[in-house]
Amino acid sequence: MTKQITYRNRKTDEMISEPLILPRIQYAVARSRVAIFVYNIFLNTYPFCWLLGKWMDLKGSQKKIQAFIQKYDINLDEIELPLEQYENLNAFFSRKLKPDARLFAADPHIFCSPADGKVLAYPKLDAQTRLPVKGSHVDIAHLLSSKESAIPYRNGAALVIRLAPADYHRYHFPVAGIATASAKISGRYYLVNPIALDVKPDLFAHNKREVTYLETEHFGRIMIMEVAGWGVGRIVQTYQPGNVERGQEKGYFQFGGSTLVLLFEPGRIIFDNDLIRDTQAGIEVQVLTGSQLGVQTISKN
């Protein structure tokens, strides 16, 4: 039986099947130890992903853009530039959108999505500071590569936002605040989707990732992590550390799948009910950059 990735489109409330990138590799890796070995030795490496990225930078990859658009049903009305101005597939993949394509809520007490993607919302992590994924648990100290950094998020909350190839691949600051410089954590390039998580639930803690802390007035100190998926040779940060604005671009992923993980201190955010409901049912929810995901917790003082 062929596996499918399905999610709920929050805007239309439809359940949608997602086209997969390299589905044969994903199915093989999910079913065969030999395939896992071959994948890790030859494909799940920085050199291979770097070479793939360089190939996507070549002028010749421009001819792949039209097929990519058709496969993933990309909305061309939103893109910033005329199609012919994208010189290669990587340029189109990490495209900017028109200024009014993604609007952020003005209310500072609303928490906005930092990216287009499929969301899972966890309103309370357990006392051991572990993130529940696909019936297993990811230790946040392992995820952050630091026991000390994980301490403030004990009993806190988390968001996981998975960006599929069809999604807009630039990400933004969800609220205003003061941002630290981004710290790199070395890792591999595992496929990042529900099929891959079935095989390796803690893969977030094994992939290449970058961590930024955002000090905010209404939501406390938020940890923002970019997790590279297979084929992502680069996570590109475009912001400067210091004061940042709600909706300001933070960076972008190059070709491939990728994920954002956000951690919140205890008692700082209330996620929207539909996100909590669907996460508990194991259903991802497609959201757009700037849309509401939650609100500030009301102080009892």
Side-chain angles (χ1 to χ4, degrees), residues 128-144:
Q128 285 72 46
T129 320
R130 297 183 301 172
L131 178 66
V133 178
K134 301 296 286 185
S136 186
H137 290 82
V138 178
D139 183 82
I140 291 177
H142 189 194
L143 183 70
L144 295 173

Side-chain angles (χ1 to χ4, degrees), residues 25-49:
I25 290 177
Q26 295 181 80
Y27 296 148
V29 170
R31 296 173 180 174
S32 167
R33 291 184 179 180
V34 174
I36 292 172
F37 175 78
V38 171
Y39 171 74
N40 285 335
I41 293 297
F42 296 105
L43 302 182
N44 182 12
T45 63
Y46 175 79
F48 182 85
C49 290

